[in-house]
Amino acid sequence: MPIILIDQDSDAHATIVWLSFGDRLGALLDTMRALKDLGLDVTKGTVTTEDAIVKTQFFITQQGCKVEDPEILERIRLSIIDNLLKYHPESSERLAMGEVFGNKPPKKLDVDDTTRVLLQDDGPKRSLLHIETADRPGLLLEIIKIILDISIDVESAEIDTEGLVAKEIFHVSYRGAALSSTLSQVLINSLLYYLRRPGTEEDSY
């Protein structure tokens, strides 16, 4: 199961990317080169092995700071997935982008069954938004656009790609406070409508 996790909360000065896939991602020089091609700096990297699975951690900065631009975060995610498909074509049936770029297309997920949206308070000043849905290119940017269109602020995000499924966590607020029950329902309904909308997967490609 290919897993890519982009962590914006654990380090104040760097974006952390976790990557694991089987036992074949030891050196990851090509992935580091792809990140540098995006104008990013890999300030530190660690490799650990757990149950025969190699897990690699990158600390990434842009001009000495954490990467904040959602478009760059999505390009990081897609660059890593593209690199996986290029050097590990056997991963194509376990990644949404494998339908276009891989040797063997993945099995399509039922969007209605896969999609879940949960919103809960995380203190008086912000709320915690959990989204789980079928992955596709550009998903992060599309979700953030929906949130911002309702005038809700995105304070931080954790982007987790587990095979064909995207699991994303956002800290959100409205005018410096946690979302009201009414605004929470508006956001949940908007996200569910968009993510479950017929034809979304095909149009995205």
Side-chain angles (χ1 to χ4, degrees):
M1 174 70 73
I3 297 176
I4 301 158
L5 172 63
I6 299 178
D7 178 2
Q8 290 286 76
D9 288 335
S10 297
D11 190 286
H13 306 291
T15 295
I16 302 175
V17 177
W18 289 89
L19 174 61
S20 70
F21 179 65
D23 60 355
R24 299 181 57 190
L25 290 177
L28 289 173
L29 294 178
D30 296 304
T31 299
M32 293 181 67
R33 188 176 299 114
L35 294 173
K36 288 183 179 295
D37 287 344
L38 295 176
L40 305 171
D41 296 314
V42 180
T43 60
K44 184 170 66 173
T46 62
V47 178
T48 59
T49 302
E50 182 178 332
D51 297 328
I53 303 296
V54 174
K55 297 182 178 181
T56 304
Q57 182 184 38
F58 294 118
F59 288 75
I60 301 171
T61 61
Q62 184 178 35
Q63 297 180 341
C65 301
K66 178 186 295 190
V67 181
E68 300 286 0
D69 187 339
E71 184 173 349
I72 300 297
L73 291 172
E74 180 69 352
R75 289 175 66 187
I76 290 172
R77 190 179 75 93
L78 296 181
S79 293
I80 292 173
I81 292 175
D82 180 67
N83 208 55
L84 270 174
L85 291 169
K86 182 177 181 180
Y87 292 97
H88 303 274
E90 72 276 11
S91 69
S92 65
E93 61 183 315
R94 294 178 176 270
L95 290 164
M97 285 177 62
E99 179 160 356
V100 178
F101 302 107
N103 294 336
K104 187 175 181 181
K107 179 182 178 181
K108 283 187 175 294
L109 298 179
D110 186 305
V111 178
D112 285 343
D113 290 342
T114 306
T115 301
R116 297 175 181 82
V117 179
L118 174 66
L119 193 60
Q120 61 192 81
D121 285 346
D122 187 30
K125 295 187 177 181
R126 64 183 188 178
S127 300
L128 197 60
L129 173 64
H130 298 261
I131 299 174
E132 182 173 330
T133 191
D135 188 30
R136 59 181 179 271
L139 179 64
L140 173 63
L141 294 177
E142 293 161 356
I143 289 174
I144 289 180
K145 183 179 184 301
I146 292 170
I147 298 172
L148 295 180
D149 282 348
I150 310 175
S151 300
I152 294 173
D153 296 320
V154 178
E155 297 182 7
S156 64
E158 180 178 295
I159 303 102
D160 187 1
T161 304
E162 297 185 13
L164 300 174
V165 178
K167 299 180 180 181
E168 306 189 354
I169 300 174
F170 300 91
H171 284 108
V172 296
S173 63
Y174 178 69
R175 296 182 177 178
L179 274 59
S180 66
S181 58
T182 301
L183 189 55
S184 295
Q185 196 59 54
V186 169
L187 178 57
I188 290 172
N189 290 344
S190 298
L191 288 167
L192 287 175
Y193 170 78
Y194 171 77
L195 295 171
R196 292 175 172 171
R197 192 172 59 193
T200 297
E201 286 188 326
E202 288 79 3
D203 293 342
S204 297
Y205 292 111

